[in-house]
């Protein structure tokens, strides 16, 4: 699971879109799941589940969206992960976005759960 944190307009959806298109190709349309709440993308390697939980009020609503299935089947990108409450897994990659010094600048902070630590050098291209 990759938890995308940040205020409204911080770039969470843009980051998720870029990650999904990097995995599946630039021609894949990646709409914001703000109103659908979850979008699922199929690839040969694994399904990619993109959740936007901004409009949800509790864990029960997340489960109804297929949360347990998503956790067992593929890659999960979650905007507004605080809405997961007790469902938020400890072993995750937290990506926090904040405004930088310019209108398009962002400051990115990454915190890794246990299984992510060995993979981070690969993610950084090292």
């Amino acid at each position: 699971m990759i938890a995308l944190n940040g205020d409204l307009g911080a770039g969470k959806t843009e980051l998720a879109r870029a990650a999904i298109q990097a995995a599946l190709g630039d021609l894949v349309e990646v709409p914001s799941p703000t109103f659908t709440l979850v979008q699922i993308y199929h690839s040969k390697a694994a399904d990619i589940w993109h959740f936007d939980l901004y409009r949800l009020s509790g864990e029960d609503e997340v489960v109804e969206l297929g949360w347990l299935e998503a956790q067992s089947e593929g890659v999960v990108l979650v905007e507004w992960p605080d809405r997961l409450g007790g469902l938020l897994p400890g072993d995750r990659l937290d990506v926090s976005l904040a405004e930088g010094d310019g209108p398009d600048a962002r400051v990115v902070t990454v915190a890794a759960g246990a299984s992510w630590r060995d993979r981070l050098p690969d993610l950084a291209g090292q």
Side-chain angles (χ1 to χ4, degrees), residues 28-84:
V28 173
E29 185 179 343
V30 182
S32 171
T34 299
F35 295 104
T36 59
L37 304 178
V38 64
Q39 294 285 117
I40 304 168
Y41 302 90
H42 304 288
S43 77
K44 292 178 186 176
D47 287 344
I48 302 171
W49 295 64
H50 180 196
F51 289 87
D52 184 332
L53 306 180
Y54 181 74
R55 296 177 33 225
L56 299 187
S57 60
E59 297 173 25
D60 293 344
E61 293 176 302
V62 178
V63 171
E64 290 176 19
L65 294 175
W67 178 252
L68 301 176
E69 184 181 359
Q71 290 289 291
S72 67
E73 287 189 2
V75 177
V76 180
L77 301 168
V78 180
E79 298 182 46
W80 305 99
D82 57 309
R83 306 295 204 274
L84 287 168

Side-chain angles (χ1 to χ4, degrees), residues 2-20 30 32-34 50-54 77-83 95-98 106:
I2 300 172
L4 303 172
N5 300 284
D7 293 335
L8 280 172
K12 297 178 297 296
T13 299
E14 287 300 316
L15 180 59
R17 180 176 291 125
I20 292 165
V30 182
S32 171
T34 299
H50 180 196
F51 289 87
D52 184 332
L53 306 180
Y54 181 74
L77 301 168
V78 180
E79 298 182 46
W80 305 99
D82 57 309
R83 306 295 204 274
V95 179
S96 298
L97 302 167
R106 297 292 182 266

Side-chain angles (χ1 to χ4, degrees), residues 99-110:
E99 290 187 27
D101 290 334
D104 295 327
R106 297 292 182 266
V107 175
V108 179
T109 305
V110 177

